[in-house]
Amino acid sequence: MATHKCYCDTGLLFDNCCGLYLENNQKAPTALALMRSRYSAYAIHNADYLLETTYISERKYYSKTEILKWATANKWQKLEILSFTENTVEFKAYFLDSNNKPQTHYEFSTFKLENNEWFYVDGKFE
């Protein structure tokens, strides 16, 4: 049982937060919860979860190898939620790149609810 804090910004324990979706096969109840769990998936290098939670028509644009490469090349530091609606989340993800230089990834993400399950569709970046 993981008793460390979750990688996302809730301050909850991993088991009571993103761990529910990443390890216990529960479905994220909101787009925001899914976005947070996807950030945690990058932090723990869970490429399968990232592909599974990407909307089916968008999956062809991603490869598990590339996702894993991006997840492992960076040290994920912090997630900051800027704003959200029922199906969008605006956030900044802070990480150290492979040269240990601080970087910020800004994204405005869109999600879709289908058969009672949330999926990541796409994101606008700056």
Side-chain angles (χ1 to χ4, degrees), residues 84-107:
F84 64 94
T85 65
E86 187 190 14
N87 66 333
T88 65
V89 182
E90 183 184 17
F91 69 92
K92 285 181 180 176
Y94 299 88
F95 62 94
L96 299 176
D97 66 18
S98 52
N99 299 316
N100 265 341
K101 293 230 164 62
Q103 304 288 341
T104 304
H105 171 82
Y106 166 87
E107 188 171 330

mmCIF file of all heavy atoms in Angstrom, residues 84-107:
data_model
loop_
_atom_site.group_PDB
_atom_site.id
_atom_site.type_symbol
_atom_site.label_atom_id
_atom_site.label_comp_id
_atom_site.label_asym_id
_atom_site.label_seq_id
_atom_site.Cartn_x
_atom_site.Cartn_y
_atom_site.Cartn_z
ATOM 1 N N PHE A 84 -10.978 24.935 -14.880
ATOM 2 C CA PHE A 84 -11.599 23.737 -15.455
ATOM 3 C C PHE A 84 -13.097 23.925 -15.598
ATOM 4 O O PHE A 84 -13.702 24.723 -14.896
ATOM 5 C CB PHE A 84 -11.282 22.477 -14.621
ATOM 6 C CG PHE A 84 -11.832 22.499 -13.223
ATOM 7 C CD1 PHE A 84 -13.063 21.932 -12.924
ATOM 8 C CD2 PHE A 84 -11.110 23.089 -12.188
ATOM 9 C CE1 PHE A 84 -13.575 21.951 -11.627
ATOM 10 C CE2 PHE A 84 -11.612 23.111 -10.892
ATOM 11 C CZ PHE A 84 -12.838 22.544 -10.613
ATOM 12 N N THR A 85 -13.669 23.193 -16.560
ATOM 13 C CA THR A 85 -15.118 23.123 -16.738
ATOM 14 C C THR A 85 -15.453 21.632 -16.715
ATOM 15 O O THR A 85 -14.581 20.808 -16.424
ATOM 16 C CB THR A 85 -15.555 23.734 -18.086
ATOM 17 O OG1 THR A 85 -15.003 22.928 -19.142
ATOM 18 C CG2 THR A 85 -15.091 25.177 -18.229
ATOM 19 N N GLU A 86 -16.664 21.295 -17.092
ATOM 20 C CA GLU A 86 -17.036 19.878 -17.087
ATOM 21 C C GLU A 86 -16.131 19.060 -18.003
ATOM 22 O O GLU A 86 -15.761 17.936 -17.688
ATOM 23 C CB GLU A 86 -18.497 19.707 -17.501
ATOM 24 C CG GLU A 86 -18.954 18.275 -17.339
ATOM 25 C CD GLU A 86 -20.318 17.977 -17.951
ATOM 26 O OE1 GLU A 86 -20.823 18.790 -18.741
ATOM 27 O OE2 GLU A 86 -20.846 16.908 -17.628
ATOM 28 N N ASN A 87 -15.752 19.636 -19.174
ATOM 29 C CA ASN A 87 -14.988 18.838 -20.140
ATOM 30 C C ASN A 87 -13.670 19.481 -20.598
ATOM 31 O O ASN A 87 -13.095 19.073 -21.600
ATOM 32 C CB ASN A 87 -15.860 18.501 -21.357
ATOM 33 C CG ASN A 87 -16.216 19.737 -22.150
ATOM 34 O OD1 ASN A 87 -16.269 20.840 -21.601
ATOM 35 N ND2 ASN A 87 -16.456 19.584 -23.429
ATOM 36 N N THR A 88 -13.191 20.499 -19.867
ATOM 37 C CA THR A 88 -11.876 21.080 -20.182
ATOM 38 C C THR A 88 -11.079 21.275 -18.894
ATOM 39 O O THR A 88 -11.667 21.471 -17.821
ATOM 40 C CB THR A 88 -11.979 22.456 -20.888
ATOM 41 O OG1 THR A 88 -12.571 23.388 -19.990
ATOM 42 C CG2 THR A 88 -12.757 22.368 -22.189
ATOM 43 N N VAL A 89 -9.767 21.225 -19.033
ATOM 44 C CA VAL A 89 -8.879 21.517 -17.906
ATOM 45 C C VAL A 89 -7.694 22.314 -18.445
ATOM 46 O O VAL A 89 -7.058 21.918 -19.415
ATOM 47 C CB VAL A 89 -8.343 20.240 -17.212
ATOM 48 C CG1 VAL A 89 -7.459 20.610 -16.013
ATOM 49 C CG2 VAL A 89 -9.476 19.335 -16.756
ATOM 50 N N GLU A 90 -7.442 23.442 -17.805
ATOM 51 C CA GLU A 90 -6.278 24.264 -18.135
ATOM 52 C C GLU A 90 -5.275 24.074 -16.999
ATOM 53 O O GLU A 90 -5.629 24.232 -15.833
ATOM 54 C CB GLU A 90 -6.706 25.724 -18.244
ATOM 55 C CG GLU A 90 -5.588 26.650 -18.653
ATOM 56 C CD GLU A 90 -6.016 28.122 -18.654
ATOM 57 O OE1 GLU A 90 -7.054 28.443 -18.040
ATOM 58 O OE2 GLU A 90 -5.306 28.932 -19.256
ATOM 59 N N PHE A 91 -4.056 23.726 -17.360
ATOM 60 C CA PHE A 91 -3.084 23.421 -16.305
ATOM 61 C C PHE A 91 -1.654 23.738 -16.719
ATOM 62 O O PHE A 91 -1.360 23.962 -17.895
ATOM 63 C CB PHE A 91 -3.177 21.941 -15.903
ATOM 64 C CG PHE A 91 -2.696 20.982 -16.968
ATOM 65 C CD1 PHE A 91 -1.371 20.549 -16.997
ATOM 66 C CD2 PHE A 91 -3.563 20.510 -17.944
ATOM 67 C CE1 PHE A 91 -0.928 19.678 -17.979
ATOM 68 C CE2 PHE A 91 -3.127 19.635 -18.928
ATOM 69 C CZ PHE A 91 -1.803 19.215 -18.947
ATOM 70 N N LYS A 92 -0.789 23.746 -15.712
ATOM 71 C CA LYS A 92 0.649 23.802 -15.934
ATOM 72 C C LYS A 92 1.266 22.611 -15.217
ATOM 73 O O LYS A 92 0.915 22.329 -14.060
ATOM 74 C CB LYS A 92 1.250 25.087 -15.357
ATOM 75 C CG LYS A 92 0.976 26.314 -16.178
ATOM 76 C CD LYS A 92 1.631 27.521 -15.536
ATOM 77 C CE LYS A 92 1.360 28.777 -16.350
ATOM 78 N NZ LYS A 92 1.909 29.971 -15.667
ATOM 79 N N ALA A 93 2.139 21.921 -15.900
ATOM 80 C CA ALA A 93 2.893 20.813 -15.295
ATOM 81 C C ALA A 93 4.357 21.247 -15.265
ATOM 82 O O ALA A 93 4.904 21.669 -16.276
ATOM 83 C CB ALA A 93 2.727 19.546 -16.123
ATOM 84 N N TYR A 94 4.940 21.172 -14.081
ATOM 85 C CA TYR A 94 6.328 21.574 -13.910
ATOM 86 C C TYR A 94 7.205 20.326 -13.842
ATOM 87 O O TYR A 94 6.859 19.362 -13.155
ATOM 88 C CB TYR A 94 6.485 22.380 -12.614
ATOM 89 C CG TYR A 94 5.660 23.650 -12.623
ATOM 90 C CD1 TYR A 94 4.335 23.646 -12.187
ATOM 91 C CD2 TYR A 94 6.205 24.844 -13.080
ATOM 92 C CE1 TYR A 94 3.577 24.807 -12.208
ATOM 93 C CE2 TYR A 94 5.451 26.012 -13.102
ATOM 94 C CZ TYR A 94 4.142 25.995 -12.665
ATOM 95 O OH TYR A 94 3.385 27.138 -12.696
ATOM 96 N N PHE A 95 8.313 20.361 -14.562
ATOM 97 C CA PHE A 95 9.207 19.206 -14.557
ATOM 98 C C PHE A 95 10.637 19.638 -14.817
ATOM 99 O O PHE A 95 10.896 20.755 -15.277
ATOM 100 C CB PHE A 95 8.759 18.171 -15.603
ATOM 101 C CG PHE A 95 8.780 18.652 -17.029
ATOM 102 C CD1 PHE A 95 9.890 18.433 -17.843
ATOM 103 C CD2 PHE A 95 7.692 19.321 -17.566
ATOM 104 C CE1 PHE A 95 9.904 18.874 -19.166
ATOM 105 C CE2 PHE A 95 7.695 19.760 -18.888
ATOM 106 C CZ PHE A 95 8.814 19.533 -19.690
ATOM 107 N N LEU A 96 11.563 18.750 -14.490
ATOM 108 C CA LEU A 96 12.966 18.944 -14.824
ATOM 109 C C LEU A 96 13.242 18.089 -16.045
ATOM 110 O O LEU A 96 12.898 16.907 -16.068
ATOM 111 C CB LEU A 96 13.873 18.503 -13.664
ATOM 112 C CG LEU A 96 13.704 19.242 -12.338
ATOM 113 C CD1 LEU A 96 14.604 18.633 -11.276
ATOM 114 C CD2 LEU A 96 13.990 20.730 -12.489
ATOM 115 N N ASP A 97 13.837 18.683 -17.074
ATOM 116 C CA ASP A 97 14.125 17.912 -18.276
ATOM 117 C C ASP A 97 15.373 17.043 -18.082
ATOM 118 O O ASP A 97 15.934 16.987 -16.984
ATOM 119 C CB ASP A 97 14.239 18.833 -19.501
ATOM 120 C CG ASP A 97 15.430 19.781 -19.439
ATOM 121 O OD1 ASP A 97 16.369 19.548 -18.648
ATOM 122 O OD2 ASP A 97 15.421 20.769 -20.202
ATOM 123 N N SER A 98 15.799 16.369 -19.137
ATOM 124 C CA SER A 98 16.920 15.423 -19.027
ATOM 125 C C SER A 98 18.234 16.109 -18.626
ATOM 126 O O SER A 98 19.160 15.464 -18.158
ATOM 127 C CB SER A 98 17.098 14.644 -20.322
ATOM 128 O OG SER A 98 17.176 15.546 -21.404
ATOM 129 N N ASN A 99 18.292 17.437 -18.766
ATOM 130 C CA ASN A 99 19.472 18.186 -18.317
ATOM 131 C C ASN A 99 19.257 18.812 -16.943
ATOM 132 O O ASN A 99 20.005 19.697 -16.527
ATOM 133 C CB ASN A 99 19.814 19.299 -19.316
ATOM 134 C CG ASN A 99 20.132 18.738 -20.688
ATOM 135 O OD1 ASN A 99 20.850 17.753 -20.796
ATOM 136 N ND2 ASN A 99 19.583 19.349 -21.726
ATOM 137 N N ASN A 100 18.177 18.378 -16.259
ATOM 138 C CA ASN A 100 17.795 18.919 -14.945
ATOM 139 C C ASN A 100 17.458 20.406 -14.977
ATOM 140 O O ASN A 100 17.593 21.103 -13.979
ATOM 141 C CB ASN A 100 18.887 18.644 -13.890
ATOM 142 C CG ASN A 100 18.581 17.376 -13.125
ATOM 143 O OD1 ASN A 100 17.439 16.905 -13.105
ATOM 144 N ND2 ASN A 100 19.585 16.810 -12.501
ATOM 145 N N LYS A 101 17.004 20.880 -16.144
ATOM 146 C CA LYS A 101 16.578 22.281 -16.277
ATOM 147 C C LYS A 101 15.063 22.344 -16.028
ATOM 148 O O LYS A 101 14.315 21.546 -16.587
ATOM 149 C CB LYS A 101 16.882 22.801 -17.689
ATOM 150 C CG LYS A 101 18.369 22.903 -17.985
ATOM 151 C CD LYS A 101 18.698 24.275 -18.548
ATOM 152 C CE LYS A 101 20.182 24.580 -18.502
ATOM 153 N NZ LYS A 101 20.988 23.660 -19.310
ATOM 154 N N PRO A 102 14.621 23.301 -15.207
ATOM 155 C CA PRO A 102 13.181 23.427 -14.945
ATOM 156 C C PRO A 102 12.416 23.836 -16.204
ATOM 157 O O PRO A 102 12.843 24.726 -16.928
ATOM 158 C CB PRO A 102 13.090 24.532 -13.887
ATOM 159 C CG PRO A 102 14.476 24.762 -13.399
ATOM 160 C CD PRO A 102 15.413 24.288 -14.462
ATOM 161 N N GLN A 103 11.310 23.142 -16.453
ATOM 162 C CA GLN A 103 10.458 23.422 -17.609
ATOM 163 C C GLN A 103 9.006 23.506 -17.141
ATOM 164 O O GLN A 103 8.642 22.921 -16.129
ATOM 165 C CB GLN A 103 10.567 22.299 -18.648
ATOM 166 C CG GLN A 103 11.964 22.006 -19.130
ATOM 167 C CD GLN A 103 12.518 23.086 -20.046
ATOM 168 O OE1 GLN A 103 11.772 23.878 -20.616
ATOM 169 N NE2 GLN A 103 13.834 23.124 -20.188
ATOM 170 N N THR A 104 8.204 24.215 -17.909
ATOM 171 C CA THR A 104 6.770 24.289 -17.629
ATOM 172 C C THR A 104 6.016 23.896 -18.894
ATOM 173 O O THR A 104 6.282 24.427 -19.967
ATOM 174 C CB THR A 104 6.360 25.714 -17.206
ATOM 175 O OG1 THR A 104 7.150 26.106 -16.094
ATOM 176 C CG2 THR A 104 4.891 25.751 -16.802
ATOM 177 N N HIS A 105 5.110 22.957 -18.749
ATOM 178 C CA HIS A 105 4.245 22.538 -19.850
ATOM 179 C C HIS A 105 2.865 23.123 -19.585
ATOM 180 O O HIS A 105 2.221 22.771 -18.600
ATOM 181 C CB HIS A 105 4.191 21.005 -19.900
ATOM 182 C CG HIS A 105 3.173 20.480 -20.864
ATOM 183 N ND1 HIS A 105 3.417 20.365 -22.209
ATOM 184 C CD2 HIS A 105 1.897 20.054 -20.669
ATOM 185 C CE1 HIS A 105 2.327 19.884 -22.807
ATOM 186 N NE2 HIS A 105 1.401 19.691 -21.894
ATOM 187 N N TYR A 106 2.420 24.037 -20.456
ATOM 188 C CA TYR A 106 1.080 24.612 -20.332
ATOM 189 C C TYR A 106 0.167 23.892 -21.319
ATOM 190 O O TYR A 106 0.552 23.644 -22.453
ATOM 191 C CB TYR A 106 1.085 26.116 -20.651
ATOM 192 C CG TYR A 106 -0.324 26.647 -20.858
ATOM 193 C CD1 TYR A 106 -1.080 27.091 -19.777
ATOM 194 C CD2 TYR A 106 -0.903 26.656 -22.120
ATOM 195 C CE1 TYR A 106 -2.378 27.538 -19.956
ATOM 196 C CE2 TYR A 106 -2.208 27.102 -22.314
ATOM 197 C CZ TYR A 106 -2.941 27.538 -21.221
ATOM 198 O OH TYR A 106 -4.238 27.966 -21.396
ATOM 199 N N GLU A 107 -1.036 23.580 -20.862
ATOM 200 C CA GLU A 107 -1.984 22.939 -21.774
ATOM 201 C C GLU A 107 -3.420 23.291 -21.408
ATOM 202 O O GLU A 107 -3.760 23.419 -20.231
ATOM 203 C CB GLU A 107 -1.809 21.421 -21.734
ATOM 204 C CG GLU A 107 -2.616 20.698 -22.779
ATOM 205 C CD GLU A 107 -2.277 19.212 -22.866
ATOM 206 O OE1 GLU A 107 -1.122 18.821 -22.590
ATOM 207 O OE2 GLU A 107 -3.184 18.442 -23.200
#
